[in-house]
Amino acid sequence: MARQTRFPFGRRWIFLIMLPAVAMWIGTAPVAEAHMSTVGYSEVTLNDNSVHYSLYLDPQEVGQWMDLHSGQKVFVLDPDGTSKPDSKPNGIGWDRSRLQNMATRYLTVLGEGKPGRIELENATLAKRGNNEYIRFDIAAQFGVPIRNYEIRYNFFFDDLDPSHQNFASVHAGEQTIEKVIDRDNRVIKGSTADVSMSSGKSTIEIALPGWLNTFWTYTYMGMLHIWEGYDHLLFLLGLILLRQKKTDYVKMLTAFTIGHSITLALSALDWFTISLRIIEPLIALSIVYVAVENIWFKRPAWRWGTALLFGLVHGFGFADILRGALPERFVLSLFSFNLGVEIGQLAVLAVLLPLLWFLAKVRWYPSFTTGMSGMIGCLGLLWFVQRIIGD
């Protein structure tokens, strides 16, 4: 029989230390919005002496910006470009001047080092993936042919959503630049002189091959998606919390990976999708279920089957950020994002598993598992209620 290790402090100390940390986490982490940071899209085409910019932004976030900066209630755009009142009384329409002001405030397009004049040509509701966005059709005019260009994107980072991202594709002849814009990477720049007319290969502003830029961008994004996805991390913690054989850990984590990889691909490619309004509560329920298994069944059989089933559910959550964003190299982007998810997941497990293996030697570990599972289940239930009521 393996010798049990005694911890120098009583088990009460563990819970006294753990509970404040959990309370602080609940109070500071955006628990109900693990996947709710807004996403936008940019399709930019460089012509001889002009730039056409199609910008897709979340209607709710545009509305929040209007409320914040105008102090008045607003309207939502109809697909035909006209305005209609939303649920807020005494609203006023989003006229062209308000939208023009928003565009010129947060978007700068430079050619040959000089800013072009930003002109809003049209604004309508448009579908991208399964979601609806406000599409801004913007033109920037220059008096000379553009060889060196720079795009500065500053929407929402500093006043509404620091986690906002924009998936941008810039087309200049046969050259395509793909970039994910975020708070720390707001600028796209390049030169049309870098285009190889004979090879037609994509390049980016730092002279890396286009495919390598795509690979790194989406791999890094997948890693961040795991590290910032509190619900995914809590589900993984619940799965590995029970003391198990090392082969059981391998089976379980492999099953979870297979499950989310399948639905990630199906959903990101729009072959089969389920609304996030259904998926997000189901992800929260998966956390509750695993916690219940830990408390009542102690050694649940076929745990890998549970991991596979809920891996399918979590894959739809992973894919939402990619839907409508996959560029021309969609196979590479999908593979890279999934690879990033796996790297991020393995990095977390590399920290948690040794710690849990050590704790599993102490005699009070079953009580620790029950207490932790209870807190995990409560958080999952809280997220479920929040996502159902849309708070």
Side-chain angles (χ1 to χ4, degrees):
M1 180 180 295
R3 183 180 178 183
Q4 291 183 325
T5 302
R6 290 181 177 271
F7 199 79
F9 303 102
R11 72 180 67 173
R12 292 181 181 178
W13 282 98
I14 296 298
F15 289 103
L16 286 175
I17 294 171
M18 187 166 54
L19 284 174
V22 173
M24 184 180 296
W25 179 40
I26 294 173
T28 58
V31 294
E33 300 186 0
H35 305 287
M36 299 304 176
S37 295
T38 55
V39 173
Y41 304 95
S42 296
E43 293 287 344
V44 185
T45 303
L46 277 72
N47 300 312
D48 184 35
N49 58 355
S50 66
V51 174
H52 181 265
Y53 199 124
S54 292
L55 173 64
Y56 297 80
L57 294 177
D58 181 274
Q60 184 176 358
E61 192 154 36
V62 173
Q64 291 174 347
W65 187 88
M66 291 290 183
D67 286 348
L68 179 64
H69 291 275
S70 69
Q72 302 179 23
K73 304 303 181 182
V74 298
F75 285 86
V76 177
L77 292 176
D78 269 337
D80 61 0
T82 61
S83 59
K84 65 178 180 180
D86 62 5
S87 59
K88 303 174 183 178
N90 303 319
I92 62 170
W94 284 346
D95 57 33
R96 185 179 295 271
S97 63
R98 291 184 181 277
L99 297 173
Q100 172 76 42
N101 177 55
M102 183 180 189
T104 54
R105 179 169 180 168
Y106 291 116
L107 182 67
T108 303
V109 181
L110 291 85
E112 304 306 314
K114 297 181 180 179
R117 185 168 60 91
I118 300 295
E119 181 68 31
L120 177 64
E121 297 180 332
N122 198 16
T124 59
L125 285 182
K127 294 279 286 187
R128 190 165 181 125
N130 287 338
N131 301 315
E132 198 164 46
Y133 296 87
I134 294 181
R135 171 174 169 166
F136 294 73
D137 286 307
I138 299 168
Q141 302 292 336
F142 299 88
V144 296
I146 304 170
R147 292 175 60 84
N148 302 292
Y149 61 88
E150 182 173 330
I151 298 169
R152 301 174 183 173
Y153 179 102
N154 292 293
F155 288 89
F156 307 138
F157 297 127
D158 300 320
D159 50 10
L160 282 178
D161 183 7
S163 299
H164 173 74
Q165 291 179 309
N166 187 285
F167 294 82
S169 296
V170 181
H171 307 281
E174 296 183 29
Q175 179 192 38
T176 298
I177 293 174
E178 296 156 357
K179 183 168 183 176
V180 180
I181 302 172
D182 57 29
R183 186 178 184 178
D184 299 320
N185 300 278
R186 309 185 186 191
V187 177
I188 305 174
K189 59 183 178 181
S191 173
T192 58
D194 295 337
V195 181
S196 173
M197 302 304 293
S198 59
S199 65
K201 293 183 179 179
S202 298
T203 59
I204 65 171
E205 64 269 23
I206 56 175
L208 288 175
W211 69 267
L212 187 56
N213 177 61
T214 299
F215 175 80
W216 166 245
T217 296
Y218 282 86
T219 299
Y220 181 66
M221 186 167 58
M223 293 162 60
L224 287 182
H225 197 59
I226 276 288
W227 294 334
E228 296 174 355
Y230 307 106
D231 45 6
H232 296 308
L233 292 178
L234 205 64
F235 178 77
L236 283 174
L237 176 59
L239 276 181
I240 66 175
L241 195 57
L242 286 183
R243 184 163 44 196
Q244 303 169 62
K245 297 178 181 178
K246 292 182 180 180
T247 54
D248 291 334
Y249 284 119
V250 173
K251 291 178 184 177
M252 186 173 55
L253 297 174
T254 300
F256 182 69
T257 296
I258 292 173
H260 74 64
S261 297
I262 291 172
T263 48
L264 170 61
L266 292 176
S267 184
L269 295 173
D270 276 330
W271 291 349
F272 181 76
T273 61
I274 301 178
S275 171
L276 271 188
R277 293 185 177 181
I278 298 174
I279 292 301
E280 289 292 341
L282 285 179
I283 290 176
L285 279 182
S286 73
I287 298 170
V288 177
Y289 178 82
V290 169
V292 169
E293 271 197 346
N294 289 348
I295 295 171
W296 271 275
F297 296 101
K298 303 299 182 183
R299 292 184 178 276
W302 302 95
R303 199 75 189 273
W304 66 266
T306 299
L308 176 63
L309 174 63
F310 287 122
L312 294 170
V313 175
H314 283 245
F316 286 112
F318 291 146
D320 182 67
I321 196 171
L322 288 184
R323 194 176 302 121
L326 290 177
E328 296 175 358
R329 302 182 185 87
F330 63 91
V331 174
L332 177 61
S333 302
L334 184 59
F335 169 80
S336 302
F337 182 82
N338 196 51
L339 177 63
V341 168
E342 293 310 309
I343 293 173
Q345 182 175 285
L346 290 174
V348 171
L349 294 174
V351 174
L352 288 180
L353 281 176
L355 177 62
L356 292 177
W357 285 336
F358 169 76
L359 292 177
K361 298 176 182 179
V362 302
R363 61 183 179 181
W364 47 260
Y365 187 72
S367 299
F368 171 81
T369 300
T370 300
M372 279 295 296
S373 296
M375 284 186 281
I376 289 172
C378 287
L379 276 176
L381 187 60
L382 172 64
W383 291 343
F384 174 74
V385 172
Q386 287 179 328
R387 292 170 184 185
I388 286 292
I389 67 177
D391 186 9

